[in-house]
């Protein structure tokens, strides 16, 4: 299938829609992003590579980076990682403190903020230089040395991250944070500040459509079983308490971020990234969700 005309047509349709979303004002720097930005890029297993709109402008990928930190922690710990974090949909907002006390400090899944903080704690324990080694890992699996943290975004989040500070200290009190909470939070905020554009994202995440192997040289990043587990978690938990709606309307495995980005994957077929900064009430890109719903409806290429 030639995606170029399809993507162009859907892009024009969605771009013309009224955007009922809003910028995330609780992170000061994200509230300053141009709300009219909109980009899409697809990378396929048969070597198609096409983008439209603002697909080459970098943005803060935020919680999409939680997939990457989870993958590195999974490589380091193997199945033991699931002793520290569960694999169930949360049914609550991404920054909720509910459930933690009842479930003895074990976050419901690694993509809510509580779970991502535990993953950051694991990386602190397992890596000698966590920030540098995590960044090197991301650059390696993407074959892209230009990926970097945004010190400005990280600083902006640290200034207002009171809910995450509370979450981290609460989990510490329940015994599932092993390191100093201040160090865990520092790493967590840097991980979320990673900047990429849509092309970067679609190329990076294509390995999850390829059974965990790089497309370029077939180097395994994850085992096939591990890749299946990550895709399953993205399917059931990648959009917080809107994950069921995304599966129902779009039918792909994926992950969103409050920077307005979404990465979506069809195993054995493609990875597609969308960026539109205004978010719906659940914290996911309003136009990004609309685009992907129309894309899978027109192409009939979804896993459901």
């Amino acid at each position: 299938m030639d995606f170029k005309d399809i993507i162009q047509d859907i892009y024009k349709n969605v771009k013309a829609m009224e955007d009922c979303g809003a910028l995330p004002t609780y992170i000061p720097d994200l509230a300053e992003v141009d709300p009219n930005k909109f980009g899409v890029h697809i990378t396929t297993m048969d070597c198609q590579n096409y983008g439209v709109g603002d697909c080459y402008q970098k943005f803060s990928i935020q919680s999409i980076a939680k997939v990457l930190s989870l993958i590195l922690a999974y490589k380091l710990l193997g199945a033991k990682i699931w002793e520290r974090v569960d694999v169930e949909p949360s049914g609550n907002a991404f920054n909720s403190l509910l459930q933690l006390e009842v479930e003895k400090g074990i976050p419901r899944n690694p993509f809510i903020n509580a779970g991502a903080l535990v993953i950051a704690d694991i990386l602190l324990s397992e890596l000698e230089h966590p920030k540098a080694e995590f960044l090197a890992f991301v650059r390696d699996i993407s074959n892209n040395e230009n990926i970097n943290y945004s010190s400005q975004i990280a600083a902006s989040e640290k200034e207002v991250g009171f809910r995450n500070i509370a979450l981290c200290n609460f989990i510490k009190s329940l015994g599932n944070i092993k390191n100093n909470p201040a160090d865990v939070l520092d790493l967590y905020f840097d991980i979320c500040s990673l900047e990429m554009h849509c092309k970067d994202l679609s190329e990076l995440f294509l390995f999850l459509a390829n059974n965990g192997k790089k497309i370029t040289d077939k180097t395994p990043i994850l085992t096939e079983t591990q890749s299946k587990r990550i895709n399953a978690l993205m399917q059931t938990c990648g959009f917080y308490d809107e994950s069921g709606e995304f599966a129902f309307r779009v039918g792909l495995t994926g992950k969103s971020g409050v920077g307005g980005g979404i990465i979506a994957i069809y195993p054995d077929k493609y990875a597609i990234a969308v960026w539109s900064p205004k978010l719906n009430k659940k914290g996911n890109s309003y136009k990004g969700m609309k685009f992907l719903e129309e894309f899978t409806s027109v192409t009939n290429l979804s896993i459901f």
Side-chain angles (χ1 to χ4, degrees):
M1 183 179 292
D2 186 350
F3 290 108
K4 183 176 180 179
D5 290 340
I6 294 170
I7 287 175
Q8 283 182 334
D9 289 344
I10 298 172
Y11 178 85
K12 288 176 184 175
N13 291 340
V14 175
K15 188 175 178 63
M17 289 179 181
E18 179 186 0
D19 195 329
C20 299
L23 292 173
T25 56
Y26 58 90
I27 299 175
D29 275 51
L30 294 186
E32 300 299 320
V33 175
D34 183 346
N36 298 310
K37 294 294 183 182
F38 185 26
V40 179
H41 196 280
I42 190 170
T43 306
T44 72
M45 293 288 291
D46 62 357
C47 300
Q48 292 187 61
N49 206 309
Y50 177 70
V52 66
D54 300 299
C55 63
Y56 301 112
Q57 180 169 333
K58 290 190 175 185
F59 60 91
S60 177
I61 70 169
Q62 291 291 310
S63 288
I64 296 173
K66 293 174 182 176
V67 181
L68 304 174
S69 58
L70 171 62
I71 288 169
L72 180 54
Y74 197 8
K75 285 173 65 69
L76 293 167
L77 282 193
K80 289 178 64 178
I81 196 172
W82 311 125
E83 298 171 8
R84 300 279 304 277
V85 62
D86 210 341
V87 295
E88 295 292 337
S90 68
N92 290 308
F94 58 86
N95 59 357
S96 175
L97 283 88
L98 298 174
Q99 301 172 329
L100 276 171
E101 186 164 21
V102 173
E103 295 174 357
K104 298 180 172 57
I106 305 296
R108 188 60 70 92
N109 66 69
F111 296 149
I112 56 174
N113 289 14
L117 286 163
V118 171
I119 296 300
D121 183 60
I122 290 170
L123 295 181
L124 273 176
S125 296
E126 297 294 321
L127 301 174
E128 187 174 355
H129 304 289
K131 288 185 184 181
E133 290 178 63
F134 173 72
L135 185 59
F137 170 71
V138 174
R139 288 174 171 177
D140 176 63
I141 64 175
S142 62
N143 295 314
N144 186 345
E145 291 296 318
N146 295 317
I147 294 171
N148 218 328
Y149 302 119
S150 167
S151 58
Q152 182 174 332
I153 292 289
S156 181
E157 293 198 63
K158 289 171 188 177
E159 287 178 7
V160 297
F162 306 114
R163 177 62 69 97
N164 287 317
I165 293 168
L167 278 169
C168 195
N169 281 284
F170 191 41
I171 301 168
K172 176 74 172 180
S173 76
L174 295 168
N176 198 23
I177 292 289
K178 311 301 181 184
N179 294 282
N180 185 322
D183 295 331
V184 175
L185 287 157
D186 184 58
L187 176 60
Y188 170 80
F189 288 131
D190 270 21
I191 287 172
C192 289
S193 80
L194 276 179
E195 291 187 313
M196 299 186 207
H197 50 55
C198 292
K199 184 174 185 287
D200 290 334
L201 281 171
S202 68
E203 291 178 344
L204 190 163
F205 277 89
L206 193 60
F207 81 92
L208 286 175
N210 192 38
N211 295 314
K213 298 182 180 69
K214 283 186 181 182
I215 298 298
T216 50
D217 59 8
K218 310 304 180 188
T219 301
I221 296 167
L222 294 171
T223 67
E224 287 192 24
T225 297
Q226 289 174 328
S227 182
K228 180 178 75 172
R229 302 276 186 256
I230 296 295
N231 275 314
L233 277 167
M234 292 172 72
Q235 178 66 65
T236 58
C237 308
F239 295 81
Y240 311 115
D241 49 337
E242 199 175 17
S243 295
E245 186 79 3
F246 186 80
F248 181 76
R249 295 193 177 279
V250 178
L252 298 174
T253 182
K255 185 73 190 78
S256 65
V258 297
I262 297 175
I263 182 67
I265 297 155
Y266 187 140
D268 300 320
K269 298 289 185 183
Y270 62 76
I272 186 168
V274 184
W275 175 48
S276 179
K278 294 175 75 173
L279 311 179
N280 64 20
K281 292 180 180 180
K282 299 292 187 178
N284 299 310
S285 172
Y286 181 86
K287 284 193 171 180
M289 298 282 276
K290 294 290 185 184
F291 178 92
L292 290 169
E293 179 181 357
E294 192 166 339
F295 178 75
T296 54
S297 296
V298 170
T299 61
N300 289 316
L301 287 175
S302 66
I303 59 179
F304 299 122

